[in-house]
Amino acid sequence: MTDERLRRLHDHLDATAELPVEREASAYLGEAEAVARDLVERSAESAVVRERTGHVRDLLAEIEGTGNTDADEHVAEARALASELAGEGADD
């Protein structure tokens, strides 16, 4: 279910907020988390979800590493979810 995956995406990004991460990674994570939070809080059409999770995916692609192993694991999970959600229905 998309709503569950959106929530998991947000939860992974939100979990990085309390972890010590590199400054540049923090900026990308903050923006990605805000986009994911907005999607969780609002009901959006699937095309909007694809577009916005694509933005999250692009932001996360800019992060080479966070300097924190736990944060890196959350980023990896968030990348996978964002890619999955952004690609859904692309052939529709």
Side-chain angles (χ1 to χ4, degrees):
M1 172 180 242
T2 301
D3 292 347
E4 177 188 331
R5 289 180 293 164
L6 283 173
R7 179 155 304 284
R8 286 183 15 230
L9 172 62
H10 174 261
D11 289 349
H12 280 295
L13 294 169
D14 189 50
T16 66
E18 298 299 319
L19 299 172
V21 297
E22 294 174 2
R23 174 181 261 166
E24 186 175 347
S26 179
Y28 288 117
L29 287 167
E31 188 173 345
E33 186 275 331
V35 173
R37 180 179 358 102
D38 186 58
L39 285 170
V40 168
E41 292 175 353
R42 302 173 192 268
S43 179
E45 294 179 15
S46 60
V48 173
V49 170
R50 285 192 305 273
E51 178 183 343
R52 308 268 330 263
T53 54
H55 183 62
V56 170
R57 179 196 58 213
D58 295 345
L59 288 165
L60 296 178
E62 295 296 324
I63 300 171
E64 291 182 25
T66 65
N68 181 291
T69 304
D70 291 336
D72 287 342
E73 290 175 14
H74 285 294
V75 169
E77 291 293 329
R79 277 184 181 140
L81 286 164
S83 291
E84 182 180 322
L85 288 161
E88 256 184 25
D91 296 330
D92 290 350

